[in-house]
Amino acid sequence: MHFFSIILVIWGFFKYKVVIFEKIKILWQFKPLLLWISFVLFCLIAVFWSDSFSEGFKRVFNFHKYEMLFATALLISLNKEQALTAIKVVLMSFTAYSIFSIIIYFDLITIAGSSSLNPRGILRYSISTQYMVITFFSSLFFVFYSKLKEEKILFILAAFLSLLALLVNNGRTAQLAFLLIFFIFVVMFSMKSKKLILISLSVLIGIVFIFSQNEKMIDRFNTAVTEIKSINNDHTYSGSFGARLYFNKAGIEIIKDNFFLGMGPADNRHKLVEMEKADKEYKAVVIKHFHSEHMEILTAYGFIGYILIFSAVVLLIYKLKDKGLYFYISLSIFLTLFFVSFANKTLSLKPLNYVYVIFFILLSIIAYQSELEKKSLENSNIEV
């Protein structure tokens, strides 16, 4: 952190320490937040059984220090309405990036490392395509729940632009996640209306057809099939998809010996590299990450670490289950995180970790203050 940033944080802490402690004391009673902070603390504790103590501590500290600062700042400064506005602002920023990607795709501007064949812009497509999936689904629910005509139009445009950007980019994992999430929502809404399921299925079939016309996407999936055949026929792991399968195979071997606590941060990656170099069946480039956030957390922090972060998210979604718009937004965000995490970095990749933590905190503020409003209403009814 920059020196002047540290000075500013220290000054703000001492100036508003009473307000800060009062709000944090109240908000940390919220169980999803408690589980999340427990996960962060467990990550720090895990450094002590890592052979690479200094490297492990540096990795944990670098990833979580700003998360904690963001969390504290948001928790003490925003109310429910402001948190919802913040979510809208983030979605609009994602929409702006979709527009940026589309402009590159149509060769209207030139960006180094990008082209019409790979209109990723200044971010990796593995990052930006997650933004597009989140924006598409969240925007649809804003359209459905918003009472303002102008806002409905704005989010219709956001959904359309994010879908278009997702189609022209190379994010195979995010595209698969998109289809899976769409199917889940179709199943959920089919329980409410038969007409709605027919409409949703028609839209899903249309989107699948559009995806099938994308030659880049088809080529990448054909390559994945070829790599799977190579594993079955030659017992060799090569290419992007083959490497990911190997990482999961290696991760399972690591978990067997370190189930509850994991190997600790850094050690899990060192072990992966060691296995890649020693295994003659592995023909891909040696990589220091499992390319699966699920496997990354399980190998570094074990079942205990994984269940802490998983429970924090699931409990937050559960807290929002009767909150309509907020519930569906939470599903849009965290289902994207869940599915993409099977084949890509998420919480261990900047700025994605900050984005997901910010969403988690904003939704926690909404869920917690909604609980307070409900209790207040119940108490007032009792008094009457």
Side-chain angles (χ1 to χ4, degrees), residues 240-270:
S240 174
F241 194 78
R244 281 173 166 81
L245 290 176
Y246 182 84
F247 299 155
N248 282 278
K249 173 190 171 186
I252 290 170
E253 292 301 315
I254 294 171
I255 292 168
K256 286 179 181 178
D257 298 323
N258 306 273
F259 181 76
F260 288 105
L261 300 178
M263 294 190 73
D267 279 19
N268 64 326
R269 296 189 182 185
H270 291 318

Side-chain angles (χ1 to χ4, degrees), residues 15 23 31 65 69-70 81 88 95 100 110 112 127 161 182 186 196 238 257 285 289 316-317 361 372 377:
K15 182 173 177 62
K23 288 204 172 186
K31 289 180 182 177
K65 63 181 179 182
L69 286 173
F70 293 153
E81 290 71 26
K88 293 177 182 178
T95 303
F100 177 49
T110 303
I127 296 174
L161 291 168
F182 201 109
V186 167
L196 197 56
S238 60
D257 298 323
V285 176
H289 192 282
L316 175 58
I317 295 172
I361 298 301
L372 292 182
L377 182 62

Side-chain angles (χ1 to χ4, degrees), residues 116-173:
S116 60
L117 296 176
N118 183 20
R120 65 182 185 85
I122 58 175
L123 294 174
R124 303 181 193 181
Y125 60 74
S126 60
I127 296 174
S128 61
T129 51
Q130 292 183 55
Y131 296 166
M132 294 161 192
V133 175
I134 290 170
T135 304
F136 175 80
F137 289 109
S138 299
S139 295
L140 287 184
F141 291 116
F142 271 114
V143 171
F144 183 78
Y145 281 95
S146 178
K147 296 179 181 179
L148 299 174
K149 181 181 177 181
E150 294 80 2
E151 189 170 84
K152 285 180 179 287
I153 294 171
L154 182 63
F155 280 107
I156 287 172
L157 287 172
F160 172 75
L161 291 168
S162 59
L163 177 59
L164 178 58
L166 181 65
L167 287 169
V168 301
N169 270 277
N170 295 333
R172 178 175 53 191
T173 305

Side-chain angles (χ1 to χ4, degrees), residues 302-358:
F303 177 75
I304 294 175
Y306 185 85
I307 205 67
L308 283 172
I309 188 65
F310 185 80
S311 299
V313 173
V314 171
L315 186 57
L316 175 58
I317 295 172
Y318 180 77
K319 294 277 187 181
L320 293 165
K321 66 182 175 65
D322 298 320
K323 302 299 185 294
L325 173 63
Y326 309 130
F327 173 65
Y328 292 118
I329 289 175
S330 69
L331 284 178
S332 300
I333 294 165
F334 296 120
L335 283 175
T336 302
L337 171 63
F338 180 75
F339 286 124
V340 173
S341 290
F342 279 105
N344 257 326
K345 298 180 184 179
T346 49
L347 298 178
S348 60
L349 179 63
K350 298 177 182 179
L352 273 175
N353 61 318
Y354 302 141
V355 169
Y356 281 115
V357 167
I358 287 171

Side-chain angles (χ1 to χ4, degrees), residues 52-93:
S52 309
F53 181 89
S54 59
E55 185 182 350
F57 179 80
K58 183 179 179 181
R59 177 167 296 161
V60 173
F61 184 72
N62 283 342
F63 269 94
H64 293 299
K65 63 181 179 182
Y66 289 116
E67 292 176 0
M68 298 303 293
L69 286 173
F70 293 153
T72 303
L74 293 172
L75 288 170
I76 66 175
S77 61
L78 299 184
N79 58 31
K80 178 181 172 181
E81 290 71 26
Q82 291 167 335
L84 181 61
T85 300
I87 290 174
K88 293 177 182 178
V89 170
V90 175
L91 293 177
M92 287 301 105
S93 70

